[in-house]
Each structure stands twice: as structure tokens, then as C-alpha cells.
Amino acid sequence: MKRAIAFCVILSFTACTTPVTIVTPQGKIAYTANEVLKRVQELQQVAIAVDATPNNGIPKDVFRVIITFTVEAAKVLDATPAGWGTTLAVAWSNAKGKIPLRYLTDPRIQTAILAVDVALAIWFPNGGA
Amino acid sequence: MNPAIILAIIQQLLVPEIMDIVRKRQAANQPLDDAAIIAELHSRAATVIAQGEDWLKKNPK
């Protein structure tokens, strides 16, 4: 558990610095949005992979909540790369509220969930989940 | 030599040099510019949306 959290934090910290080759405000905004979207994509891929595992013990509804969130998050990040913060933070908070704790902390998806938490905390500290 | 002096030398001379080398290597290894990152964002979003909607279609409520 501690290693997973440390991994998530390190992974997110490596994304904190915008590359020197990105110079315009639009580029920097897109870079931030893309870094958050990477964690959202990872969460979606993990959810789909675990769902595909027979007898995984997690209700289909849990995966449906997660993947509905990841699709909506991708749309928001793509459409409003500069204004995704509040929308995404609220959507993520609502999605997690629909998932029972025992599934949120399932080790197969927990790391990916934490990565989204950490990414939002870093890139949107005032409203991240 | 006084450890404080050693630390000061490291901080004032070595760290900026190391950071400069890191930045140059980063720039050399990362051809990512503004146009490329914007394109990557759109491409990644399209992939996530397509994959997610496909799963949701195959797993209706």
C-alpha cells in the first residue's frame, strides 16, 4: 500500500515540470491537461482489464461508474484544457461517492485511483478530490 | 574543509550546472513542442473516449 502511494506520488511529481520545449501558454495548459488525462487513461485501462478477469469479485456497476467518469473526464479535458479543474474534481468526487469503499480500495484498481487523486491534488490543489 | 563551505560550493556551482545539463538533455530527448503536445492531448482524449464508449456499449445497464 505504501509503495503504491509512493509510486503514485513519484509518478505525478515527474509530471510537474513543463518541458522546456513547450513555451506558449496554450502548450503549457495542454501539457497539464495531458498529464492528468494520462492518469485517467490508466484508470480506464486498469478498470477494463480487471473487469475482463473472470470472477473478479467487483460488480459491473463499479466499472460502469469508473468508465463513465473516464469518458466524461476525457471530453472535458479535450474541450476545455484550461478550465477542467472544477468540472473534473466534482465529477471525480461524485464518481467515487457511488463506489463502495471496499471496491475503491481493491488493490487491483486502487493504484490507478490514487494516481488520479494525486494528479488532481497536484494540478488542481484547491479543488482536487 | 568546512562542511558548510562544501555545501555552499555544491549549491552555488554544481547544482546550476547539473540543472543546465538536465535541461539541455531534456530538450534534446524531447522533441515535444506546443503543437505536438496539443495534438497528443486531442489524440489521447479521442482514444479514451472511443475505448470507454465501446466498453459502455458492450456493457449496458
Side-chain angles (χ1 to χ4, degrees):
Chain A
M1 172 67 176
K2 285 182 184 175
R3 278 189 206 161
I5 294 171
F7 175 74
C8 288
V9 171
I10 290 166
L11 200 65
S12 293
F13 276 139
T14 60
C16 276
T17 312
T18 313
V20 297
T21 48
I22 296 173
V23 294
T24 65
Q26 294 82 2
K28 291 178 181 180
I29 287 166
Y31 178 81
T32 304
N34 191 50
E35 289 301 309
V36 175
L37 184 56
K38 280 182 188 175
R39 277 76 196 174
V40 170
Q41 184 175 33
E42 283 158 15
L43 175 62
Q44 183 179 84
Q45 288 169 341
V46 164
I48 290 174
V50 174
D51 174 58
T53 309
N55 305 316
N56 58 67
I58 299 178
K60 192 72 84 171
D61 277 345
V62 171
F63 296 114
R64 198 170 289 114
V65 169
I66 291 173
I67 294 169
T68 300
F69 163 76
T70 57
V71 169
E72 293 307 310
K75 289 177 182 174
V76 168
L77 286 163
D78 191 33
T80 55
W84 55 267
T86 304
T87 306
L88 209 66
V90 170
W92 182 229
S93 179
N94 289 341
K96 287 203 302 181
K98 293 178 187 172
I99 300 173
L101 185 64
R102 66 179 178 279
Y103 302 125
L104 275 179
T105 54
D106 186 297
R108 292 166 293 179
I109 59 175
Q110 186 183 34
T111 303
I113 286 175
L114 282 173
V116 174
D117 282 338
V118 173
L120 284 174
I122 289 174
W123 294 110
F124 191 62
N126 294 326
Chain B
M1 206 174 188
N2 188 320
I5 295 173
I6 296 172
L7 190 61
I9 291 171
I10 292 172
Q11 280 181 332
Q12 291 184 21
L13 294 178
L14 285 179
V15 170
E17 286 299 315
I18 292 169
M19 290 309 298
D20 194 46
I21 291 168
V22 168
R23 272 190 285 268
K24 283 178 182 168
R25 291 186 69 146
Q26 192 184 33
N29 293 335
Q30 270 187 338
L32 210 61
D33 59 9
D34 297 89
I37 192 62
I38 291 169
E40 183 177 320
L41 172 65
H42 292 316
S43 172
R44 188 183 304 278
T47 300
V48 173
I49 293 166
Q51 188 185 43
E53 287 182 339
D54 182 62
W55 186 94
L56 289 167
K57 203 171 169 184
K58 289 176 183 168
N59 296 275
K61 214 167 187 176

